[in-house]
Amino acid sequence: MSRSPSSLDIAYGLLEEGRLIDAEQLLLKELRKAERKHGPGSPQWASAQCDLGNLLFSSGRLDRAVDCYRSACSRPPAGDPEAYKDQLTYRLNLGMVLTTAGRLDEAEDELRRNLQERRDFYGREHPGYAYALEPLADVLLRRGDIGQARQLVEEAVGNFWRNGHERVATALALRAEIVVAAAAGESAFTGLEQLPDDVVEQIAHTVMSRTGQDPATGRAVLTSLIAALEERLGPDHQTTLNALSQLANTGHDIGDETGRVRAIEKVLASYDRQGRAEDALMAALGLAMAQDDTGDTGAALRTFEDAWARADRIGRPELRAQVLRNWGLALSAAGRTAEAERRLRDAVAAADLGHDHEMLGRSRIALGLFLQHEERMGEARQVVEAGLSTLDVAHPDAIVGRSHLGAIVQGRACGCGDVQGTIAEAFREFVMSRLPGDLLEDLDVGVDDGEFAIQVRLRRKPSAAEIEHMNRLIESANAEFRSRLTSPR
């Protein structure tokens, strides 16, 4: 019989739906319940602090996650081995989130302390000891101490291997990165034939999850990984294809657009071999954008035409709309305005036949911006406003659409509005729509030196719970919109 989902399970489900505030509120409620029932500092309270820290860590709110883990570690239990084991986990989590936050001095201190505590509790041969070797090696790698990092990761690999522990996969992935960073010509991946498929797949997953830390090193590790995966799992295995897709993304990040094209071409060829039509269509769209980024407009437009034929065979309106929208934008950028307009209008018509309101909104925004730049302001305004009506206020296309709408209202075909001001207004709507209607008189949101400046005007005195909820909302809005101040899409 399957168990009922825990509060943490539900919170992560909410997080996957983009409902960060609801997820956090659920775990805060569990934390308050543990504090009332068992008292602050109790094992149950510490566990609830850790759960909240895990959620915050997963959603990128690192400083608050650090605070939760520190609280969870604040009162080590006496005479309770199981509770002490939990404390060792909380301190390990603290070291890892400090590493992710770039606070490497603190991270190293915490992880060395955790390693010693684990050695005393488990002994060196137990996998519980090796759990701290691996993240400490990661910190040392980031600090440039390749030699000591290699020593620790080899000890971790050996420990997990002897114990038949699944964590050997993540340790081997880190070892590969350290080998590549050492630049001594050593093979990053050896002995994969000795491992079961699921362990090889976990190695690949770990490598892919780490490529953003140092894209140049990540690209070299991925290249070695793909060669090993093609030999071990085959060129059409999904793990191999995922690694190729990640290599394409990394190529874009470091400006290797030619390498990006080659990687996507291999993915597309595999999907075609397997008859995976929708996956092949998505790969074709990615290939067209990559070709455009290399400056090969002709190849990009030919690939868009191929993608349209694929979408037409599949027959789903939202896929047709997606191809037509992207194709129209590419034609517009190439100066082929008559063809661009036909494609963009066809995109709206196709999306209108389906049930994907987001794609309908995005298609309308794309057409509206095209019409604006063609100085057809009346129609542009009508189309953009219709597009905004089907998009969430926080959607990147909605932000772009709103910033252009201001210029359209003023009759301007370019200089398309105050994007930062539009993001600030979206921030305001995000918060205001989630608070009781009688609480705020107004919320002023501006941008000062790349940061949001916020002033709250209240209609009445809020309760303590309302203050806490408002503060969490504002923090969540900061997390939602901060990156768009520098890179609105």
Side-chain angles (χ1 to χ4, degrees):
M1 182 181 297
S2 61
R3 66 175 179 84
S4 299
S6 67
S7 295
L8 186 61
D9 294 331
I10 296 170
Y12 272 100
L14 292 168
L15 183 63
E16 289 177 5
E17 295 174 10
R19 296 167 60 186
L20 171 59
I21 296 165
D22 293 335
E24 184 181 344
Q25 290 299 316
L26 175 61
L27 293 189
L28 282 168
K29 181 180 178 181
E30 292 298 311
L31 176 59
R32 288 191 290 267
K33 185 191 299 184
E35 184 169 339
R36 286 193 305 270
K37 186 173 181 179
H38 302 284
S42 64
Q44 295 84 354
W45 176 87
S47 177
Q49 286 280 9
C50 182
D51 285 347
L52 180 56
N54 290 340
L55 181 78
L56 294 166
F57 193 179
S58 298
S59 59
R61 300 162 77 182
L62 303 182
D63 289 341
R64 284 199 57 220
V66 167
D67 292 341
C68 289
Y69 291 139
R70 285 201 191 281
S71 295
C73 297
S74 60
R75 302 185 190 181
D80 185 344
E82 290 303 313
Y84 184 71
K85 284 168 64 175
D86 290 339
Q87 285 278 316
L88 292 175
T89 299
Y90 306 154
R91 191 170 299 283
L92 184 66
N93 290 352
L94 174 58
M96 292 169 66
V97 74
L98 287 166
T99 302
T100 304
R103 295 161 62 174
L104 299 184
D105 287 344
E106 297 173 79
E108 184 174 348
D109 288 344
E110 290 292 347
L111 290 169
R112 287 194 182 280
R113 175 179 173 181
N114 190 248
L115 185 64
Q116 184 60 54
E117 291 172 337
R118 286 172 176 271
R119 181 177 179 177
D120 294 342
F121 186 80
Y122 291 110
R124 285 189 86 124
E125 299 306 313
H126 193 281
Y129 170 72
Y131 264 74
L133 285 169
E134 187 183 333
L136 180 55
D138 186 18
V139 170
L140 294 169
L141 169 63
R142 294 176 192 236
R143 304 193 75 166
D145 190 346
I146 305 298
Q148 191 176 1
R150 178 68 181 269
Q151 180 181 344
L152 291 177
V153 81
E154 292 290 4
E155 186 178 359
V157 169
N159 181 305
F160 289 136
W161 190 282
R162 288 190 300 274
N163 285 286
H165 198 283
E166 62 183 6
R167 280 291 291 264
V168 72
T170 58
L172 284 167
L174 178 59
R175 178 189 180 277
E177 191 172 336
I178 293 169
V179 167
V180 168
E186 184 180 355
S187 176
F189 297 96
T190 57
L192 295 190
E193 68 280 356
Q194 304 175 49
L195 299 171
D197 287 0
D198 62 323
V199 175
V200 174
E201 290 167 16
Q202 184 57 43
I203 292 171
H205 175 77
T206 304
V207 169
M208 287 183 271
S209 71
R210 292 179 56 86
T211 54
Q213 297 172 13
D214 182 348
T217 299
R219 180 181 181 277
V221 178
L222 275 170
T223 300
S224 296
L225 173 68
I226 290 164
L229 291 176
E230 287 176 337
E231 182 176 346
R232 172 65 177 77
L233 300 176
D236 293 335
H237 194 282
Q238 190 59 53
T239 302
T240 307
L241 299 177
N242 291 345
L244 280 165
S245 297
Q246 185 65 42
L247 181 62
N249 294 337
T250 303
H252 180 61
D253 292 340
I254 64 175
D256 179 17
E257 298 297 347
T258 301
R260 178 186 173 200
V261 167
R262 286 198 299 268
I264 299 173
E265 285 175 338
K266 293 182 75 170
V267 173
L268 176 57
S270 174
Y271 285 146
D272 279 338
R273 284 195 299 272
Q274 297 178 69
R276 295 168 60 177
E278 290 192 21
D279 291 325
L281 170 59
M282 292 299 107
L285 284 177
L287 177 59
M289 290 186 284
Q291 290 167 329
D292 201 33
D293 286 341
T294 67
D296 193 346
T297 302
L301 292 177
R302 288 191 296 274
T303 302
F304 274 121
E305 188 168 4
D306 172 66
W308 164 246
R310 293 171 182 271
D312 199 39
R313 287 194 296 271
I314 294 168
R316 285 174 50 195
E318 65 274 15
L319 294 179
R320 285 173 166 158
Q322 185 173 357
V323 173
L324 289 164
R325 173 190 176 277
N326 292 3
W327 192 7
L329 291 173
L331 286 164
S332 178
R336 294 164 60 171
T337 55
E339 295 171 84
E341 182 172 351
R342 285 198 299 273
R343 300 292 177 259
L344 292 171
R345 288 191 182 279
D346 288 347
V348 174
D352 210 19
L353 294 174
H355 302 286
D356 188 333
H357 298 298
E358 179 182 335
M359 182 50 63
L360 178 58
R362 296 185 68 208
S363 299
R364 285 170 169 169
I365 295 292
L367 175 60
L369 270 54
F370 171 84
L371 294 168
Q372 176 200 10
H373 290 111
E374 292 298 300
E375 301 188 13
R376 292 148 67 180
M377 301 303 175
E379 189 179 3
R381 178 174 182 174
Q382 182 180 15
V383 174
V384 170
E385 287 177 341
L388 292 173
S389 71
T390 65
L391 290 175
D392 184 89
V393 65
H395 193 286
D397 282 25
I399 291 173
V400 172
R402 286 180 185 277
S403 71
H404 283 68
L405 185 59
I408 292 170
V409 170
Q410 296 170 25
R412 291 187 286 116
C414 57
C416 303
D418 174 13
V419 175
Q420 287 197 346
T422 303
I423 295 172
E425 178 59 24
F427 183 116
R428 177 182 177 278
E429 289 188 35
F430 181 92
V431 175
M432 293 285 285
S433 65
R434 290 164 171 81
L435 288 172
D438 66 336
L439 179 59
L440 293 189
E441 180 180 333
D442 204 356
L443 179 72
D444 292 331
V445 182
V447 179
D448 183 14
D449 195 25
E451 297 290 335
F452 290 109
I454 301 158
Q455 289 187 333
V456 178
R457 295 198 298 276
L458 299 170
R459 294 183 187 275
R460 59 173 173 80
K461 184 177 179 179
S463 67
E466 286 176 327
I467 291 175
E468 182 179 18
H469 180 53
M470 181 170 60
N471 288 338
R472 300 285 187 240
L473 275 171
I474 290 173
E475 185 179 347
S476 294
N478 259 301
E480 181 77 26
F481 292 100
R482 187 182 294 114
S483 64
R484 295 179 194 163
L485 286 173
T486 54
S487 58
R489 294 185 292 131

